[in-house]
Amino acid sequence: QVQLVESGGGLVQAGDSLRLSCAGSGRTFSNSAMGWFRQAPGKEREFVAAITWRGSPTYYADSLKGRFTISRDNAKNTVYLQMNSLEPEDTAVYYCAAAPTASMGVMSRAPAAYNLWGQGTQVTVSS
C-alpha cells in the first residue's frame, strides 16, 4: 500500500519549535516533488512549503519564510518540516503530499498538483 504518514505534531507554546516528519512507504518518493500544507478549523487548506526531488529549489508561503524549513532524505523516503518560533496562528492540521512529477515550480503551491496525501498531524500552539 502506497502511503504517506505524518508525525511530530503536538501541543507547544508560542516561540517553541517542532519538526514534522512525513514517511513514505509502498514505493520510492525520491523522484517526486513533495509539499506541506495546513488547514485550520473553518479555513481552506493552504500551502506551506514544497521541495523538488533533489532537495533544491524549495518554495515557501511568503508569510512563513524564515521560520519554516523543508528538507528531505531520499534514502529514508522521508520529508521534514522544521518549524521555529511557532505562533498561535500556526495551529492547524499539517499534511504532506506527493506530486506525480519531480519538480513543479510555481505550481507546487496548488493542492491540486499533488496526487497522494497523508492523514495529517495536529499542531497546536498555545499563547
Side-chain angles (χ1 to χ4, degrees), residues 23-103:
S25 62
R27 70 167 176 87
T28 179
F29 289 89
S30 61
N31 296 324
S32 299
M34 303 291 292
W36 283 98
F37 291 77
R38 67 185 184 183
Q39 187 165 18
K43 296 186 177 181
E44 293 186 353
R45 190 167 298 190
E46 66 172 347
F47 171 75
V48 173
I51 189 167
T52 59
W53 69 277
R54 59 178 183 176
S56 178
T58 55
Y59 305 88
Y60 295 93
D62 290 342
S63 61
L64 300 176
K65 282 182 180 178
R67 293 196 300 124
F68 288 17
T69 303
I70 188 171
S71 61
R72 67 190 298 162
D73 185 338
N74 286 339
K76 296 182 178 179
N77 227 19
T78 300
V79 177
Y80 305 97
L81 183 69
Q82 177 67 42
M83 305 185 296
N84 298 329
S85 301
L86 283 162
E87 304 170 353
E89 293 73 24
D90 296 318
T91 295
V93 177
Y94 284 71
Y95 300 90
C96 73
T101 59
S103 177

Side-chain angles (χ1 to χ4, degrees), residues 5-30:
V5 178
E6 301 95 335
S7 61
L11 172 63
V12 298
Q13 293 186 334
D16 287 349
S17 298
L18 276 177
R19 188 176 81 154
L20 306 183
S21 299
C22 172
S25 62
R27 70 167 176 87
T28 179
F29 289 89
S30 61

